[in-house]
Amino acid sequence: MSAKDGASILVVDDEDHNRALLRAMLGGQHRVLEAANGPAALEVLVAEQVDLVLLDVMMPGMSGYDVCQKIKQRTGEAFLPVLLVTALSEQEQKNLGLQAGADDFLTKPVDRRELLLRVRAFLRLRSQDALIRLQLKQLAQLQNTKDEMLSLMVHDLRSPLAGIVSHLSLIIEDAPEGHLREDAQAALRSADGMRDSLEEALQIRLLEEGQLPIARAPVDLKALVRDAAATLEPTARRKRIQLSTAMDGEPIASVDGKLVRRAIENLLGNALKYTPAGKDVSVAVRHRDGTVEIEVSDRGPGIPAELKATMFEKYGSVEAKKGGPRKGFGLGLYMVKLVADGHGGVAHVLDRDGGGAVFSMRLRSAA
């Protein structure tokens, strides 16, 4: 490898002969840049592409520790290895270097083979860091493309679905009692469910982009929970699940009623989905000291401890993570998290006494 093709290494030392020695060791394989003091080194970093820094510690004015700290404090920069070159051997001096952000040390007099081996190792780390950054950027672009496609699909499906709902409603109005009317009602329920899913996907996208602001207004929490539970009551009856609600504390809170109700419905739908027939599901709301806590408790199989921290991530269903069949798109709990975040709160899951899980959403009320 020629110096022209090699990495650029910045040698910083106030002694000419020390810089000349390191240049001679490296010059055949790498492009060597030089600086006689700390300020000059920082100027080189602004003007040149540097892949590694060999930095003397004992320099007048700005010490090597100070220069190292300045280098490591640069924001938005790729990983730039800094190796301190020092005659100091005391542990306290090394600790100061590590505290300043140094990646490694070379002791004077520098052994050429050790120098080349350490330089090669850290250049490899820098290369790997660059590759990871590139891959993360590409993943972010793919994610953005996928989200844009999802938004377009939702937008294009809403209008024809609204037409289907309208026509089914007209059929039900005119249809006599019997199988035809029952089939139309079942189709309407399915269409309504699909419309709700599309609206939820759109709301999630808008929340992620900050285009759906939290519209706070005084809300009757008891009525909010009652209405949300009423939406899922048919499902509870069909599975013979006892669905109960409870309210404690101040009845009025300043929250986004529509989004909070949607989040409660998501939690309830999830609870009813996994609770066996004949068991119970409960919704408890507490509002005290400007904090609203909503807990939905089920009697399902529970959440494994290793998955609790990631349950509210996007597409974070337990079935998918355990390798089982996916029974949903993993967006419901993610929306709960976004709603909680938007209210300055948090969402989490705990074990329920006697079996099951408790999904909790804590919100800050402006009231």
Side-chain angles (χ1 to χ4, degrees), residues 207-208 212-214 216 259-260 263 312-314 333-348 360-364:
L207 283 169
E208 287 178 329
L212 186 62
I214 301 299
R216 291 181 180 270
L259 288 178
V260 173
F312 293 89
E313 291 180 358
K314 200 172 187 178
L333 292 180
Y334 180 56
M335 184 183 183
V336 171
K337 175 186 180 299
L338 292 178
V339 172
D341 290 345
H343 285 81
V346 65
H348 61 275
S360 174
M361 181 170 59
R362 186 178 298 119
L363 316 173
R364 293 297 301 172

Coordinates of all heavy atoms in Angstrom, one line a residue, residues 207-208 212-214 216 259-260 263 312-314 333-348 360-364:
L207 N -48.6 11.0 14.2 CA -48.0 11.2 15.6 C -46.5 11.1 15.5 O -45.7 11.9 16.1 CB -48.5 10.2 16.5 CG -49.9 10.4 17.1 CD1 -50.4 9.2 17.9 CD2 -49.9 11.6 18.0
E208 N -46.0 10.2 14.7 CA -44.5 10.0 14.5 C -43.9 11.3 13.9 O -42.8 11.7 14.2 CB -44.2 8.8 13.6 CG -44.5 7.5 14.3 CD -44.2 6.3 13.3 OE1 -44.4 6.5 12.1 OE2 -43.8 5.3 13.8
L212 N -49.8 15.5 14.2 CA -51.0 15.3 14.9 C -50.8 15.8 16.3 O -50.6 15.0 17.2 CB -51.5 13.8 14.9 CG -52.9 13.5 15.4 CD1 -53.9 14.2 14.6 CD2 -53.1 12.0 15.4
P213 N -51.0 17.1 16.6 CA -50.7 17.6 17.9 C -51.7 17.1 18.9 O -52.9 16.8 18.6 CB -50.8 19.1 17.7 CG -51.7 19.3 16.5 CD -51.4 18.1 15.6
I214 N -51.3 17.1 20.2 CA -52.2 16.7 21.3 C -53.2 17.8 21.5 O -52.8 18.9 22.0 CB -51.4 16.3 22.5 CG1 -50.4 15.2 22.2 CG2 -52.3 15.9 23.7 CD1 -51.0 13.9 21.8
R216 N -55.5 19.1 23.8 CA -56.0 18.9 25.2 C -57.3 19.7 25.4 O -57.5 20.8 24.9 CB -55.0 19.4 26.2 CG -53.7 18.5 26.3 CD -52.8 19.1 27.3 NE -51.6 18.3 27.5 CZ -51.4 17.3 28.3 NH1 -52.5 16.9 29.1 NH2 -50.3 16.6 28.4
L259 N -57.7 10.6 21.3 CA -56.5 9.8 21.2 C -56.5 8.9 22.4 O -56.1 7.7 22.3 CB -55.3 10.6 21.1 CG -55.0 11.3 19.8 CD1 -53.7 12.1 19.9 CD2 -54.9 10.3 18.7
V260 N -56.8 9.4 23.6 CA -56.8 8.6 24.8 C -57.9 7.5 24.8 O -57.6 6.3 25.1 CB -57.0 9.4 26.1 CG1 -57.2 8.6 27.3 CG2 -55.9 10.4 26.3
A263 N -56.5 4.8 22.5 CA -55.5 4.0 23.2 C -56.2 3.0 24.2 O -55.7 1.8 24.3 CB -54.6 4.9 24.0
F312 N -44.0 -2.2 23.6 CA -44.6 -1.0 23.0 C -43.8 -0.5 21.8 O -44.1 0.6 21.3 CB -44.8 0.1 24.0 CG -45.8 -0.3 25.1 CD1 -45.3 -0.9 26.3 CD2 -47.1 0.0 25.0 CE1 -46.2 -1.3 27.3 CE2 -48.0 -0.3 26.0 CZ -47.6 -1.0 27.1
E313 N -42.9 -1.2 21.3 CA -42.2 -0.8 20.1 C -43.1 -1.1 18.9 O -44.0 -1.9 18.9 CB -40.9 -1.6 20.0 CG -39.8 -1.3 21.0 CD -38.5 -2.0 20.8 OE1 -38.5 -2.9 19.9 OE2 -37.6 -1.8 21.5
K314 N -42.7 -0.5 17.8 CA -43.4 -0.7 16.5 C -43.3 -2.1 16.1 O -42.2 -2.7 16.0 CB -42.9 0.3 15.5 CG -43.9 0.5 14.3 CD -43.3 1.6 13.4 CE -44.3 2.0 12.4 NZ -43.8 3.1 11.5
L333 N -50.3 -1.4 20.4 CA -49.5 -0.9 21.6 C -48.6 0.2 21.3 O -48.3 1.0 22.2 CB -48.7 -2.1 22.2 CG -49.6 -3.3 22.8 CD1 -48.7 -4.4 23.3 CD2 -50.5 -2.7 23.9
Y334 N -48.1 0.2 20.1 CA -47.2 1.3 19.7 C -47.9 2.6 19.7 O -47.4 3.6 20.1 CB -46.6 1.0 18.3 CG -45.7 2.1 17.7 CD1 -44.6 2.5 18.4 CD2 -46.0 2.7 16.5 CE1 -43.7 3.4 18.0 CE2 -45.1 3.7 16.0 CZ -44.0 4.0 16.7 OH -43.1 5.0 16.3
M335 N -49.2 2.6 19.3 CA -50.0 3.8 19.3 C -50.2 4.3 20.8 O -50.2 5.5 21.1 CB -51.3 3.7 18.6 CG -52.1 4.9 18.6 SD -53.7 4.8 17.8 CE -54.3 6.5 17.9
V336 N -50.4 3.3 21.7 CA -50.6 3.6 23.1 C -49.3 4.3 23.6 O -49.4 5.3 24.3 CB -50.8 2.3 23.9 CG1 -50.7 2.6 25.4 CG2 -52.2 1.7 23.6
K337 N -48.2 3.9 23.2 CA -46.9 4.5 23.6 C -46.8 6.0 23.1 O -46.5 6.9 23.8 CB -45.7 3.7 23.1 CG -44.4 4.4 23.3 CD -43.3 3.6 22.7 CE -41.9 4.2 22.9 NZ -41.8 5.6 22.4
L338 N -47.2 6.1 21.8 CA -47.2 7.5 21.2 C -48.1 8.4 21.9 O -47.8 9.6 22.1 CB -47.5 7.4 19.7 CG -46.5 6.7 18.8 CD1 -47.0 6.7 17.4 CD2 -45.1 7.4 18.9
V339 N -49.3 7.9 22.2 CA -50.3 8.8 23.0 C -49.7 9.2 24.3 O -49.8 10.3 24.8 CB -51.6 8.1 23.1 CG1 -52.6 8.9 24.0 CG2 -52.2 7.9 21.7
A340 N -49.1 8.2 25.0 CA -48.5 8.5 26.3 C -47.4 9.5 26.2 O -47.3 10.4 27.0 CB -48.1 7.2 27.0
D341 N -46.5 9.3 25.2 CA -45.4 10.2 25.0 C -45.9 11.6 24.7 O -45.4 12.6 25.2 CB -44.6 9.7 23.8 CG -43.8 8.5 24.1 OD1 -43.7 8.1 25.3 OD2 -43.3 7.8 23.2
G342 N -47.0 11.7 23.9 CA -47.5 13.0 23.6 C -48.1 13.7 24.8 O -48.1 15.0 24.8
H343 N -48.5 13.0 25.8 CA -49.0 13.6 27.0 C -48.0 13.7 28.1 O -48.3 13.9 29.3 CB -50.2 12.8 27.5 CG -51.5 12.9 26.8 ND1 -51.7 12.3 25.6 CD2 -52.6 13.7 27.0 CE1 -52.9 12.6 25.1 NE2 -53.5 13.5 26.0
G344 N -46.7 13.6 27.7 CA -45.6 13.7 28.7 C -45.6 12.5 29.6 O -45.1 12.7 30.8
G345 N -46.1 11.4 29.2 CA -46.2 10.2 30.1 C -45.4 9.0 29.6 O -44.4 9.1 28.8
V346 N -45.8 7.9 30.1 CA -45.1 6.6 29.7 C -46.1 5.5 29.7 O -47.1 5.5 30.4 CB -44.0 6.4 30.8 CG1 -44.6 6.1 32.1 CG2 -43.1 5.2 30.3
A347 N -45.8 4.4 29.0 CA -46.6 3.2 29.0 C -45.7 2.0 29.3 O -44.5 2.0 28.9 CB -47.2 3.0 27.6
H348 N -46.2 1.1 30.1 CA -45.5 -0.1 30.5 C -46.4 -1.2 30.8 O -47.6 -1.0 30.9 CB -44.5 0.2 31.7 CG -45.3 0.7 32.9 ND1 -45.7 1.9 33.2 CD2 -45.7 -0.1 34.0 CE1 -46.3 2.0 34.3 NE2 -46.3 0.8 34.9
S360 N -50.3 -0.5 31.5 CA -50.6 0.8 32.2 C -50.1 2.0 31.3 O -49.1 1.9 30.6 CB -49.8 0.9 33.5 OG -49.9 2.1 34.1
M361 N -50.9 3.0 31.3 CA -50.6 4.2 30.6 C -50.7 5.4 31.5 O -51.8 5.7 32.1 CB -51.6 4.4 29.4 CG -51.3 5.6 28.5 SD -52.3 5.6 27.0 CE -53.9 5.6 27.7
R362 N -49.6 6.1 31.8 CA -49.6 7.2 32.7 C -49.4 8.5 31.9 O -48.6 8.7 31.0 CB -48.4 7.1 33.7 CG -48.4 8.2 34.8 CD -47.3 8.0 35.7 NE -47.4 6.7 36.4 CZ -46.4 5.8 36.4 NH1 -45.4 6.0 35.7 NH2 -46.6 4.6 37.0
L363 N -50.4 9.5 32.1 CA -50.4 10.7 31.4 C -50.3 11.9 32.3 O -50.8 11.9 33.4 CB -51.7 10.8 30.6 CG -52.2 9.6 29.8 CD1 -53.6 9.8 29.3 CD2 -51.3 9.2 28.7
R364 N -49.7 13.0 31.8 CA -49.7 14.2 32.5 C -50.9 15.0 32.1 O -51.1 15.3 30.9 CB -48.4 15.0 32.3 CG -47.2 14.4 32.8 CD -47.2 14.3 34.3 NE -47.3 15.6 35.0 CZ -47.6 15.7 36.3 NH1 -47.7 14.6 37.0 NH2 -47.7 16.9 36.8

